[in-house]
């Protein structure tokens, strides 16, 4: 149960212009339906970590010995269910699953964090009011959308909403790469996706998956503050600037990342620009060709290059 770059997704990256979730977080859960599940050490990988690659997961650590954490879980469940599947609340009893508490660094209960694309986002240490819970859940959904995690969880007991239909099996080409990705082995996933890219160079889904895995592989283990300090001290260090841009895209600071690298292209001699251009192309793929920020950055890049 290893996490890559705890806290890498920064809620402060949210922009006022970011798309807001639907009112009250989405359609309410149908009568009797619930988007709440109990998680143990045995099923944590599948139910929480792998699921967060498709939709937002909120992990709530609690103990039956703590009345406060039990009451707070009831509040979290009520708010989570109002989001209509935009997030799944995964409750962890730390008395029976202490390894999960150790893995996420919980110092006590209640302890709540989000999971987006396998990345943890600290939310609460201790209880919070319902309006504060709802506000942070809404921000978490925005961050997930900015990072391409837009699936819906299904009410417990039903098949996952975004799971392939029985007559539409998952593409077997991606099995090895996806397995490595789900395990947090992003470098291994990159290797597998690169093999597929060589076989299917015109397949946009392969290209997009490869770009996403490359980004996570480059960011794994990086310290955001240390990276920013290194980039500030060495403004012409290409690797330092590209790492901060990667971290910014991962954290939702898309415009900042693009502007940083385009500014670097303008400063560099013509024969040193290609690695930065290629990194920008990779990040354009991660963010999505239809995103207006990508279109604007492409125009700025063309001006900087020519």
């Amino acid at each position: 149960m290893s996490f890559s770059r705890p806290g890498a997704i920064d809620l402060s990256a949210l922009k006022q212009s970011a798309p807001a979730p639907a009112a009250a977080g989405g359609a309410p859960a149908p009568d009797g339906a619930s988007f709440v599940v109990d998680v143990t050490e045995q099923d944590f990988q599948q139910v929480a970590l792998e699921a967060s690659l498709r939709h937002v997961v909120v992990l709530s650590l609690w103990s039956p010995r703590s009345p406060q954490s039990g009451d707070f879980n009831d509040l979290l469940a009520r708010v989570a269910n109002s989001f209509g599947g935009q997030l799944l609340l995964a409750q962890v009893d730390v008395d029976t699953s202490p390894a999960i508490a150790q893995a996420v660094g919980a110092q006590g209960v209640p302890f709540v964090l989000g999971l987006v694309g396998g990345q943890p986002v600290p939310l609460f240490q201790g209880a919070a009011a319902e309006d504060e819970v709802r506000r942070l859940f809404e921000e978490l959904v925005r961050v997930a959308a900015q990072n391409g995690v837009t699936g819906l969880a299904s009410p417990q007991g039903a098949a996952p909403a975004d799971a392939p239909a029985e007559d539409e099996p998952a593409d077997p080409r991606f099995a090895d790469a996806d397995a490595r990705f789900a395990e947090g082995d992003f470098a291994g996933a990159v290797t597998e996706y690169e093999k597929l890219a060589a076989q299917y160079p015109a397949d946009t889904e392969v290209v997009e998956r490869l770009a996403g895995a490359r980004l996570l592989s480059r960011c794994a283990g990086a310290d955001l503050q240390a990276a920013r300090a290194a980039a500030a001290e060495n403004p012409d260090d290409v690797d330092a600037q590209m790492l901060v841009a990667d971290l910014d895209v991962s954290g939702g600071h898309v415009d900042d990342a693009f502007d940083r690298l385009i500014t670097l292209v303008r400063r560099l001699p013509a024969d040193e620009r290609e690695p930065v251009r290629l990194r920008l192309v990779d990040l354009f793929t991660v963010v999505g060709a239809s995103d207006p920020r990508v279109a604007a950055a492409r125009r700025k890049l063309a001006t900087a290059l020519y």
Side-chain angles (χ1 to χ4, degrees):
M1 290 179 301
S2 61
F3 288 118
S4 172
R5 293 194 303 115
I9 298 177
D10 181 3
L11 291 177
S12 68
L14 296 170
K15 309 290 186 182
Q16 291 297 319
S17 59
D31 290 343
S34 173
F35 296 100
V36 182
V37 63
D38 292 322
V39 175
T40 67
E41 292 168 8
Q42 288 68 41
D43 59 13
F44 174 80
Q45 178 77 25
Q46 178 181 3
V47 176
L49 200 56
E50 292 181 15
S52 76
L53 301 175
R54 303 186 299 271
H55 56 71
V56 175
V57 174
V58 175
L59 202 63
S60 172
L61 277 65
W62 73 290
S63 168
R65 295 179 291 110
S66 168
Q68 181 194 36
S69 69
D71 292 342
F72 191 44
N73 256 359
D74 292 340
L75 184 155
L76 293 173
R78 183 167 64 253
V79 177
N81 282 332
S82 75
F83 276 69
Q86 287 185 297
L87 54 85
L88 176 72
L89 177 65
Q91 299 175 333
V92 179
D93 180 344
V94 298
D95 294 344
T96 58
S97 298
I100 296 177
Q102 182 179 8
V104 301
Q107 300 300 310
V109 295
F111 181 87
V112 183
L113 73 160
L115 292 174
V116 177
Q119 304 295 320
V121 185
L123 296 177
F124 304 104
Q125 173 70 67
E130 183 169 343
D131 59 347
E132 178 68 2
V133 172
R134 186 174 299 280
R135 182 183 69 81
L136 282 183
F137 280 11
E138 289 174 348
E139 291 182 349
L140 194 62
V141 170
R142 287 193 186 95
V143 166
Q146 290 175 338
N147 286 273
V149 179
T150 58
L152 294 177
S154 288
Q156 289 308 291
D162 50 358
E166 289 187 6
D167 60 345
E168 295 182 12
D171 191 330
R173 296 179 303 165
F174 299 126
D176 291 340
D178 288 352
R180 292 181 180 272
F181 190 97
E183 292 167 0
D185 179 10
F186 301 126
V190 168
T191 299
E192 296 301 324
Y193 286 132
E194 284 178 340
K195 293 177 184 177
L196 292 173
Q199 290 181 269
Y200 310 100
D203 190 318
T204 56
E205 185 174 3
V206 172
V207 172
E208 290 168 357
R209 289 180 180 230
L210 174 58
R214 279 174 172 164
L215 175 64
L216 291 175
S217 179
R218 293 192 300 263
C219 292
D223 182 284
L224 178 59
Q225 298 308 316
R228 287 195 184 283
E233 292 174 5
N234 302 282
D236 293 323
D237 185 324
V238 171
D239 290 337
Q241 302 303 323
M242 290 197 299
L243 176 58
V244 173
D246 285 340
L247 293 169
D248 276 346
V249 167
S250 177
H253 296 268
V254 172
D255 287 329
D256 291 343
F258 291 167
D259 287 345
R260 176 183 293 273
L261 294 188
I262 291 169
T263 298
L264 181 61
V265 166
R266 292 192 179 103
R267 290 203 308 268
L268 289 173
D271 60 350
E272 297 179 16
R273 294 173 172 175
E274 185 62 6
V276 185
R277 186 191 70 82
L278 291 175
R279 180 62 54 85
L280 275 164
V281 170
D282 227 29
L283 295 180
F284 292 162
T285 302
V286 170
V287 176
S290 62
D291 192 298
R293 295 169 295 185
V294 170
R298 286 189 186 278
R299 290 192 294 270
K300 291 179 182 178
L301 177 59
T303 300
L305 288 171
Y306 306 109

mmCIF file of all heavy atoms in Angstrom, residues 1 3 8-10 42-43 77 90 102 104 114 120 153 158 195 198 232 241 257 267-268 277 283-284 294 298:
data_model
loop_
_atom_site.group_PDB
_atom_site.id
_atom_site.type_symbol
_atom_site.label_atom_id
_atom_site.label_comp_id
_atom_site.label_asym_id
_atom_site.label_seq_id
_atom_site.Cartn_x
_atom_site.Cartn_y
_atom_site.Cartn_z
ATOM 1 N N MET A 1 0.844 -1.201 0.000
ATOM 2 C CA MET A 1 0.000 0.000 0.000
ATOM 3 C C MET A 1 0.873 1.242 0.000
ATOM 4 O O MET A 1 0.925 2.001 0.953
ATOM 5 C CB MET A 1 -0.897 0.009 1.235
ATOM 6 C CG MET A 1 -1.977 -1.043 1.213
ATOM 7 S SD MET A 1 -2.964 -0.984 2.694
ATOM 8 C CE MET A 1 -1.701 -1.247 3.923
ATOM 9 N N PHE A 3 2.050 4.884 -1.445
ATOM 10 C CA PHE A 3 1.486 6.039 -2.133
ATOM 11 C C PHE A 3 2.608 6.790 -2.831
ATOM 12 O O PHE A 3 3.731 6.884 -2.324
ATOM 13 C CB PHE A 3 0.806 6.982 -1.142
ATOM 14 C CG PHE A 3 -0.481 6.447 -0.586
ATOM 15 C CD1 PHE A 3 -0.620 6.209 0.757
ATOM 16 C CD2 PHE A 3 -1.539 6.178 -1.425
ATOM 17 C CE1 PHE A 3 -1.806 5.722 1.267
ATOM 18 C CE2 PHE A 3 -2.737 5.683 -0.923
ATOM 19 C CZ PHE A 3 -2.861 5.451 0.429
ATOM 20 N N ALA A 8 0.642 15.458 -3.567
ATOM 21 C CA ALA A 8 1.087 16.057 -4.824
ATOM 22 C C ALA A 8 -0.015 16.860 -5.501
ATOM 23 O O ALA A 8 0.261 17.827 -6.184
ATOM 24 C CB ALA A 8 1.572 14.963 -5.775
ATOM 25 N N ILE A 9 -1.262 16.461 -5.325
ATOM 26 C CA ILE A 9 -2.366 17.212 -5.912
ATOM 27 C C ILE A 9 -2.748 18.313 -4.940
ATOM 28 O O ILE A 9 -3.186 18.058 -3.834
ATOM 29 C CB ILE A 9 -3.562 16.305 -6.210
ATOM 30 C CG1 ILE A 9 -3.137 15.255 -7.243
ATOM 31 C CG2 ILE A 9 -4.746 17.089 -6.712
ATOM 32 C CD1 ILE A 9 -4.198 14.253 -7.565
ATOM 33 N N ASP A 10 -2.558 19.541 -5.347
ATOM 34 C CA ASP A 10 -2.685 20.700 -4.463
ATOM 35 C C ASP A 10 -4.035 21.371 -4.671
ATOM 36 O O ASP A 10 -4.332 21.883 -5.739
ATOM 37 C CB ASP A 10 -1.542 21.680 -4.796
ATOM 38 C CG ASP A 10 -1.560 22.902 -3.913
ATOM 39 O OD1 ASP A 10 -2.407 22.978 -3.003
ATOM 40 O OD2 ASP A 10 -0.711 23.777 -4.139
ATOM 41 N N GLN A 42 -7.050 -6.157 3.087
ATOM 42 C CA GLN A 42 -7.100 -7.171 2.031
ATOM 43 C C GLN A 42 -7.646 -6.617 0.717
ATOM 44 O O GLN A 42 -7.203 -7.016 -0.358
ATOM 45 C CB GLN A 42 -7.951 -8.366 2.483
ATOM 46 C CG GLN A 42 -7.293 -9.245 3.541
ATOM 47 C CD GLN A 42 -7.151 -8.551 4.883
ATOM 48 O OE1 GLN A 42 -8.082 -7.849 5.317
ATOM 49 N NE2 GLN A 42 -6.010 -8.724 5.533
ATOM 50 N N ASP A 43 -8.613 -5.701 0.785
ATOM 51 C CA ASP A 43 -9.208 -5.211 -0.467
ATOM 52 C C ASP A 43 -8.903 -3.745 -0.748
ATOM 53 O O ASP A 43 -9.454 -3.157 -1.681
ATOM 54 C CB ASP A 43 -10.722 -5.437 -0.474
ATOM 55 C CG ASP A 43 -11.440 -4.747 0.687
ATOM 56 O OD1 ASP A 43 -10.831 -3.895 1.360
ATOM 57 O OD2 ASP A 43 -12.622 -5.073 0.923
ATOM 58 N N ALA A 77 -20.814 10.173 5.248
ATOM 59 C CA ALA A 77 -21.648 9.325 4.395
ATOM 60 C C ALA A 77 -22.817 10.113 3.825
ATOM 61 O O ALA A 77 -23.153 9.967 2.637
ATOM 62 C CB ALA A 77 -22.150 8.127 5.199
ATOM 63 N N ALA A 90 -14.798 5.485 1.332
ATOM 64 C CA ALA A 90 -14.244 4.205 1.776
ATOM 65 C C ALA A 90 -13.851 4.331 3.240
ATOM 66 O O ALA A 90 -12.934 5.086 3.580
ATOM 67 C CB ALA A 90 -13.036 3.832 0.923
ATOM 68 N N GLN A 102 -0.998 3.352 9.054
ATOM 69 C CA GLN A 102 0.447 3.585 9.015
ATOM 70 C C GLN A 102 0.880 4.078 7.642
ATOM 71 O O GLN A 102 1.700 4.991 7.519
ATOM 72 C CB GLN A 102 1.187 2.296 9.373
ATOM 73 C CG GLN A 102 2.711 2.447 9.399
ATOM 74 C CD GLN A 102 3.408 1.150 9.778
ATOM 75 O OE1 GLN A 102 2.779 0.102 9.884
ATOM 76 N NE2 GLN A 102 4.702 1.214 9.991
ATOM 77 N N VAL A 104 -0.757 5.815 5.421
ATOM 78 C CA VAL A 104 -1.151 7.187 5.096
ATOM 79 C C VAL A 104 -0.671 8.189 6.142
ATOM 80 O O VAL A 104 -0.925 9.393 6.017
ATOM 81 C CB VAL A 104 -2.682 7.299 4.932
ATOM 82 C CG1 VAL A 104 -3.162 6.364 3.838
ATOM 83 C CG2 VAL A 104 -3.414 7.021 6.240
ATOM 84 N N GLY A 114 -8.450 12.363 0.384
ATOM 85 C CA GLY A 114 -8.971 11.979 -0.911
ATOM 86 C C GLY A 114 -7.952 11.167 -1.677
ATOM 87 O O GLY A 114 -6.746 11.253 -1.420
ATOM 88 N N PRO A 120 -2.772 10.694 -3.001
ATOM 89 C CA PRO A 120 -3.512 11.118 -1.807
ATOM 90 C C PRO A 120 -3.582 12.632 -1.673
ATOM 91 O O PRO A 120 -2.630 13.343 -1.979
ATOM 92 C CB PRO A 120 -2.698 10.511 -0.661
ATOM 93 C CG PRO A 120 -1.313 10.417 -1.200
ATOM 94 C CD PRO A 120 -1.432 10.183 -2.687
ATOM 95 N N ALA A 153 -18.760 6.413 -9.487
ATOM 96 C CA ALA A 153 -18.914 5.176 -8.726
ATOM 97 C C ALA A 153 -20.358 4.734 -8.810
ATOM 98 O O ALA A 153 -21.263 5.543 -8.986
ATOM 99 C CB ALA A 153 -18.509 5.407 -7.270
ATOM 100 N N ALA A 158 -24.028 -2.778 -6.953
ATOM 101 C CA ALA A 158 -24.229 -2.749 -8.407
ATOM 102 C C ALA A 158 -22.890 -2.837 -9.099
ATOM 103 O O ALA A 158 -21.850 -2.620 -8.498
ATOM 104 C CB ALA A 158 -24.945 -1.464 -8.819
ATOM 105 N N LYS A 195 5.666 -0.070 -25.737
ATOM 106 C CA LYS A 195 5.604 -1.216 -26.657
ATOM 107 C C LYS A 195 4.345 -1.121 -27.517
ATOM 108 O O LYS A 195 4.381 -1.369 -28.729
ATOM 109 C CB LYS A 195 5.601 -2.521 -25.867
ATOM 110 C CG LYS A 195 6.888 -2.819 -25.120
ATOM 111 C CD LYS A 195 6.737 -4.104 -24.308
ATOM 112 C CE LYS A 195 7.978 -4.388 -23.473
ATOM 113 N NZ LYS A 195 7.791 -5.605 -22.613
ATOM 114 N N ALA A 198 4.600 1.592 -30.163
ATOM 115 C CA ALA A 198 5.391 1.176 -31.322
ATOM 116 C C ALA A 198 4.550 0.320 -32.273
ATOM 117 O O ALA A 198 4.714 0.388 -33.499
ATOM 118 C CB ALA A 198 6.626 0.407 -30.866
ATOM 119 N N ALA A 232 13.912 27.848 -9.178
ATOM 120 C CA ALA A 232 14.101 29.282 -8.948
ATOM 121 C C ALA A 232 15.576 29.644 -8.923
ATOM 122 O O ALA A 232 15.983 30.707 -9.409
ATOM 123 C CB ALA A 232 13.437 29.682 -7.633
ATOM 124 N N GLN A 241 13.261 22.971 -14.666
ATOM 125 C CA GLN A 241 12.051 23.659 -15.099
ATOM 126 C C GLN A 241 10.986 22.669 -15.569
ATOM 127 O O GLN A 241 9.787 22.841 -15.287
ATOM 128 C CB GLN A 241 12.376 24.658 -16.218
ATOM 129 C CG GLN A 241 13.402 25.731 -15.849
ATOM 130 C CD GLN A 241 12.981 26.536 -14.629
ATOM 131 O OE1 GLN A 241 11.803 26.837 -14.438
ATOM 132 N NE2 GLN A 241 13.948 26.892 -13.789
ATOM 133 N N ALA A 257 2.237 25.754 -15.724
ATOM 134 C CA ALA A 257 3.182 24.806 -16.325
ATOM 135 C C ALA A 257 3.492 25.180 -17.771
ATOM 136 O O ALA A 257 4.655 25.223 -18.186
ATOM 137 C CB ALA A 257 2.599 23.397 -16.254
ATOM 138 N N ARG A 267 13.875 31.622 -24.096
ATOM 139 C CA ARG A 267 15.218 31.966 -23.608
ATOM 140 C C ARG A 267 16.308 31.087 -24.203
ATOM 141 O O ARG A 267 17.454 31.510 -24.325
ATOM 142 C CB ARG A 267 15.278 31.834 -22.071
ATOM 143 C CG ARG A 267 14.504 32.880 -21.308
ATOM 144 C CD ARG A 267 15.058 33.019 -19.887
ATOM 145 N NE ARG A 267 15.150 31.740 -19.206
ATOM 146 C CZ ARG A 267 14.210 31.218 -18.431
ATOM 147 N NH1 ARG A 267 13.059 31.874 -18.280
ATOM 148 N NH2 ARG A 267 14.378 30.055 -17.831
ATOM 149 N N LEU A 268 15.958 29.860 -24.561
ATOM 150 C CA LEU A 268 16.976 28.907 -24.990
ATOM 151 C C LEU A 268 17.417 29.149 -26.440
ATOM 152 O O LEU A 268 16.620 29.596 -27.263
ATOM 153 C CB LEU A 268 16.426 27.483 -24.882
ATOM 154 C CG LEU A 268 16.224 26.929 -23.467
ATOM 155 C CD1 LEU A 268 15.507 25.581 -23.536
ATOM 156 C CD2 LEU A 268 17.556 26.780 -22.739
ATOM 157 N N ARG A 277 10.150 21.386 -26.126
ATOM 158 C CA ARG A 277 8.984 21.287 -27.016
ATOM 159 C C ARG A 277 8.322 19.929 -26.880
ATOM 160 O O ARG A 277 7.087 19.822 -26.803
ATOM 161 C CB ARG A 277 9.417 21.512 -28.472
ATOM 162 C CG ARG A 277 8.240 21.581 -29.445
ATOM 163 C CD ARG A 277 8.699 21.523 -30.895
ATOM 164 N NE ARG A 277 9.214 20.207 -31.254
ATOM 165 C CZ ARG A 277 8.431 19.182 -31.589
ATOM 166 N NH1 ARG A 277 7.111 19.299 -31.620
ATOM 167 N NH2 ARG A 277 8.976 18.012 -31.898
ATOM 168 N N LEU A 283 2.658 17.062 -22.343
ATOM 169 C CA LEU A 283 1.720 17.646 -21.385
ATOM 170 C C LEU A 283 0.426 18.075 -22.069
ATOM 171 O O LEU A 283 -0.653 17.985 -21.463
ATOM 172 C CB LEU A 283 2.373 18.827 -20.668
ATOM 173 C CG LEU A 283 3.585 18.473 -19.779
ATOM 174 C CD1 LEU A 283 4.146 19.721 -19.127
ATOM 175 C CD2 LEU A 283 3.190 17.450 -18.710
ATOM 176 N N PHE A 284 0.511 18.523 -23.318
ATOM 177 C CA PHE A 284 -0.706 18.834 -24.070
ATOM 178 C C PHE A 284 -1.587 17.575 -24.172
ATOM 179 O O PHE A 284 -2.812 17.651 -24.045
ATOM 180 C CB PHE A 284 -0.367 19.320 -25.480
ATOM 181 C CG PHE A 284 0.308 20.661 -25.553
ATOM 182 C CD1 PHE A 284 0.990 21.056 -26.701
ATOM 183 C CD2 PHE A 284 0.265 21.542 -24.485
ATOM 184 C CE1 PHE A 284 1.595 22.288 -26.782
ATOM 185 C CE2 PHE A 284 0.872 22.789 -24.555
ATOM 186 C CZ PHE A 284 1.549 23.163 -25.702
ATOM 187 N N VAL A 294 -4.865 24.229 -23.811
ATOM 188 C CA VAL A 294 -3.911 23.604 -24.727
ATOM 189 C C VAL A 294 -3.856 24.379 -26.037
ATOM 190 O O VAL A 294 -2.768 24.651 -26.575
ATOM 191 C CB VAL A 294 -4.286 22.131 -24.974
ATOM 192 C CG1 VAL A 294 -3.445 21.543 -26.106
ATOM 193 C CG2 VAL A 294 -4.085 21.314 -23.698
ATOM 194 N N ARG A 298 -0.533 26.139 -27.466
ATOM 195 C CA ARG A 298 0.027 25.771 -28.777
ATOM 196 C C ARG A 298 0.336 27.028 -29.604
ATOM 197 O O ARG A 298 1.376 27.104 -30.271
ATOM 198 C CB ARG A 298 -0.939 24.869 -29.542
ATOM 199 C CG ARG A 298 -1.023 23.447 -29.026
ATOM 200 C CD ARG A 298 -1.841 22.579 -29.983
ATOM 201 N NE ARG A 298 -2.062 21.245 -29.470
ATOM 202 C CZ ARG A 298 -1.186 20.245 -29.541
ATOM 203 N NH1 ARG A 298 -0.004 20.456 -30.118
ATOM 204 N NH2 ARG A 298 -1.481 19.051 -29.058
#
